[in-house]
């Protein structure tokens, strides 16, 4: 299957379960810490600079944002987590929203967890990985900010990510740079394979 990435549109910001699209199209969920470059990864995938809004401050995405690509596929931007300056009440609201999304097995068809290639995954990253594992759906890890690493650091860091998140062999880790475009083709290949499998 092919996708025309020029035909990308923002559909809605969902604040609760009643707002989630349920039209049977594949839904690819992007999750990650609020400063990990999630919007930048989506923008790089679509070759757009400002399509998924890059917040002026981390933690600004407090809803689940849906982008429809070529009328065939949703990219679902889950709220960033782990931003310290957010109130406890807001964190709890986010947690309920994420939980309600994962509780509906008809929604996510593929999960993408974005982590920082430079650092060991955080406790929040591990918790998010558990959501994906529990979903029973296919998922991958994207190690963003690859351009900030020396070549000698890449392989040990990818191993550390895999070990820390306790990834099964079926879960790929894709080295990625939203800045340079490294990993874009690998991630698109995976998305297109997924769409073929979802038919």
């Amino acid at each position: 299957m092919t996708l025309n990435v020029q035909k990308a549109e923002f559909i809605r910001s969902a604040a609760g379960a009643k707002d989630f699209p349920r039209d049977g199209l594949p839904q690819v969920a992007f999750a990650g810490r609020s400063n990990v470059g999630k919007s930048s990864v989506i923008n790089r995938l679509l070759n757009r600079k400002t399509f998924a809004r890059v917040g002026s401050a981390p933690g600004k995405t407090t809803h689940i944002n849906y982008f429809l690509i070529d009328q065939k596929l949703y990219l679902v931007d889950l709220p960033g987590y782990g931003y310290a300056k957010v109130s406890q009440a807001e964190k709890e609201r986010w947690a309920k929203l994420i939980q309600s999304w994962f509780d509906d097995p008809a929604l996510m068809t593929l999960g993408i967890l974005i982590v920082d290639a430079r650092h060991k995954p955080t406790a929040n990253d591990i918790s998010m990985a558990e959501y994906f594992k529990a979903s029973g759906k296919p998922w991958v890890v994207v190690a963003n900010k690859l351009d900030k690493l020396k070549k000698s650091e890449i392989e040990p860091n990818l191993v550390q990510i895999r070990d820390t998140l306790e990834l099964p062999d079926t879960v790929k880790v894709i080295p990625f740079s939203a800045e340079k475009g490294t990993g874009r083709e690998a991630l698109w290949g995976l998305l297109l394979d997924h769409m073929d499998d979802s038919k």
Side-chain angles (χ1 to χ4, degrees):
M1 182 183 286
T2 58
L3 267 185
N4 180 359
V5 296
Q6 299 307 312
K7 290 176 67 178
E9 55 187 317
F10 171 72
I11 297 296
R12 71 180 66 161
S13 281
K18 67 183 188 309
D19 303 322
F20 302 155
R22 292 183 172 81
D23 53 12
L25 290 178
Q27 295 192 26
V28 178
F30 289 76
R33 273 205 329 278
S34 53
N35 60 349
V36 78
K38 189 157 46 73
S39 296
S40 299
V41 169
I42 294 172
N43 288 335
R44 172 56 75 178
L45 263 182
L46 300 176
N47 276 338
R48 307 273 190 96
K49 284 207 169 135
T50 56
F51 184 70
R53 290 187 300 277
V54 179
S56 55
K60 284 290 178 73
T61 308
T62 56
H63 293 62
I64 296 177
N65 291 322
Y66 282 84
F67 305 99
L68 182 60
I69 314 301
D70 201 14
Q71 302 289 315
K72 295 175 184 171
L73 169 78
Y74 287 109
L75 301 186
V76 186
D77 186 6
L78 300 178
Y81 52 79
Y83 189 55
K85 291 184 183 176
V86 173
S87 70
Q88 189 58 36
E90 185 70 355
K91 285 180 184 171
E92 286 170 9
R93 191 184 73 74
W94 291 4
K96 280 183 186 163
L97 181 62
I98 297 275
Q99 187 70 57
S100 67
W101 199 79
F102 275 96
D103 280 348
D104 189 334
L107 296 177
M108 183 177 77
T109 54
L110 175 70
I112 295 175
L113 175 59
I114 301 170
V115 298
D116 191 326
R118 299 171 298 176
H119 306 301
K120 184 176 180 179
T122 65
N124 284 320
D125 291 328
I126 293 169
S127 296
M128 197 73 232
E130 293 304 320
Y131 271 111
F132 284 125
K133 288 175 190 173
S135 75
K137 302 290 176 69
W139 63 292
V140 297
V141 174
V142 167
N144 191 30
K145 306 194 179 183
L146 194 73
D147 52 289
K148 306 279 199 276
L149 288 176
K150 295 176 188 160
K151 280 196 173 165
S152 61
E153 296 172 325
I154 293 173
E155 197 54 44
N157 283 30
L158 295 178
V159 169
Q160 177 176 251
I161 288 166
R162 179 169 284 284
D163 290 349
T164 304
L165 296 177
E166 297 182 354
L167 298 179
D169 292 341
T170 52
V171 177
K172 287 184 180 172
V173 178
I174 299 178
F176 200 92
S177 168
E179 187 71 29
K180 307 278 189 192
T182 312
R184 180 180 183 269
E185 285 189 16
L187 188 52
W188 259 127
L190 204 133
L191 290 180
L192 293 173
D193 287 348
H194 170 64
M195 287 179 66
D196 288 337
D197 293 344
S198 299
K199 284 183 191 171

